[in-house]
Amino acid sequence: MVLGVRDRGVTHLGPAEVRELAARLGLRPTKQRGQNFVIDANTVRRIVRESGVTAGEVVVEVGPGLGSLTLALLETGAEVTAIEVDPLLAGELPATIEAFAPAQAGRLRVVLADAMSVTELPGPPPQALVANLPYNVSVPVLLHLMALLPSLEHGLVMVQAEVADRLAAPPGSKTYGVPSAKAAWFADVRRAGAIGRNVFWPAPNVDSGLVAWTRREPPTDRIAREEVFAVIDAAFAQRRKALRGALRTLAGGAEQAEAALRAVGIDPLTRGETLGIDDFVAIAIALHEMTPESA
């Protein structure tokens, strides 16, 4: 337990509490795991406010670290399922919550796991995902959990500013790409603000951004998501290449790619960066229907 927490009346982690916890644990944040801990209580309150989490909801948090955001989430009256890959941090989190917010400790579940490989979570199905995602795996983790947990209705994640721009980018913009198109399968995504570097310890060398999203129904049930995502990957593998060439390998030839594109009313010389998720769905369906196995 952090010494004197209850006596000091502290209910959130500030710079002193974060450093005190880290020193007691012998913790040195590592770039490999993207460990940059939030030390500003106003920032975590802002994240929770922007997320729209309410009492009674079940929230998934990825990489809770020392517990800054966890405490703010529990403060809303929500239940929190925290996924932490670091055994030291996962083992300490319940004690930290007990020290800072003992009345809320019963609403925390800690899962020691890599969020990229988790296949199920304990407890009731979650409605929200709120997390300070490690920069190096933020997009794969977000897409994995969106696919794994169809009960998720909304969420907000803090990621590198550049990644936030990509996730929320509309078709035709300079930052639109694979993350934007794939996220659009699951949700309506928007930029929800910027976060400065000085709210972290250690301070990262990049700015951060907030991305909010609301679940939408899948754009089709006629074809598997994986087939649509294969089209997206191919379309952006060589970003400046026209779709006729970009989809050549996937379609089994440039002529087949052109035929599929013309069948859905898309100019074969169009580039993938101009297409929305519904366009990629249409192309995937056309390619699927052209294969001998689907005949």
Side-chain angles (χ1 to χ4, degrees), residues 14-251:
E17 289 75 31
V18 167
R19 289 183 171 88
E20 186 178 348
L21 273 168
R24 186 169 59 80
L25 295 172
L27 177 67
R28 294 183 178 180
T30 67
K31 289 184 178 181
Q32 181 181 3
R33 289 183 173 172
Q35 291 175 326
N36 299 96
F37 302 117
V38 180
I39 57 175
D40 180 62
N42 288 329
T43 296
V44 293
R45 289 193 185 102
R46 174 188 170 195
I47 291 170
V48 172
R49 183 173 64 251
E50 293 283 353
S51 75
V53 167
T54 57
E57 285 193 299
V58 179
V59 184
V60 175
E61 182 188 3
V62 178
L66 293 170
S68 300
L69 181 56
T70 314
L71 283 163
L73 288 167
L74 289 169
E75 194 174 44
T76 68
E79 296 182 34
V80 176
T81 301
I83 307 173
E84 176 56 64
V85 69
D86 188 318
L88 180 66
L89 294 174
E92 185 66 17
L93 186 59
T96 301
I97 303 305
E98 179 63 36
F100 283 83
Q104 300 165 11
R107 288 186 275 106
L108 172 69
R109 284 177 293 271
V110 180
V111 178
L112 176 59
D114 182 343
M116 272 299 297
S117 59
V118 68
T119 57
E120 60 181 358
L121 294 177
Q127 291 83 47
L129 167 64
V130 183
N132 171 20
L133 292 176
Y135 288 162
N136 53 344
V137 293
S138 55
V139 171
V141 166
L142 179 61
L143 295 176
H144 172 65
L145 292 177
M146 282 179 160
L148 177 69
L149 303 169
S151 62
L152 290 174
E153 299 170 359
H154 64 106
L156 184 138
V157 293
M158 180 160 57
V159 296
Q160 185 176 339
E162 182 182 350
V163 174
D165 290 339
R166 289 176 181 172
L167 282 168
S173 65
K174 290 182 179 180
T175 51
Y176 182 72
V178 171
S180 335
K182 289 184 177 180
W185 172 280
F186 300 103
D188 295 317
V189 183
R190 64 178 176 84
R191 242 337 199 115
I195 300 292
R197 307 179 187 191
N198 61 345
V199 304
F200 296 95
W201 174 76
N205 55 11
V206 294
D207 293 322
S208 300
L210 300 178
V211 175
W213 57 271
T214 305
R215 173 77 71 170
R216 55 170 281 182
E217 289 298 315
T220 186
D221 59 3
R222 292 178 57 190
I223 194 169
R225 181 183 70 249
E226 290 78 10
E227 291 191 59
V228 179
F229 281 13
V231 172
I232 293 171
D233 287 334
F236 287 101
Q238 294 176 282
R239 188 179 179 93
R240 308 307 297 174
K241 182 176 284 191
L243 286 171
R244 184 183 190 274
L247 300 179
R248 178 176 181 173
T249 301
L250 185 65

Side-chain angles (χ1 to χ4, degrees), residues 185 219-220 222-223 228 231 247 259-261 263-266 275-290:
W185 172 280
T220 186
R222 292 178 57 190
I223 194 169
V228 179
V231 172
L247 300 179
L261 291 163
V264 296
I266 295 175
L275 303 184
I277 186 61
D278 292 332
D279 298 313
F280 289 116
V281 167
I283 295 169
I285 291 173
L287 288 174
H288 181 84
E289 292 178 346
M290 288 174 57

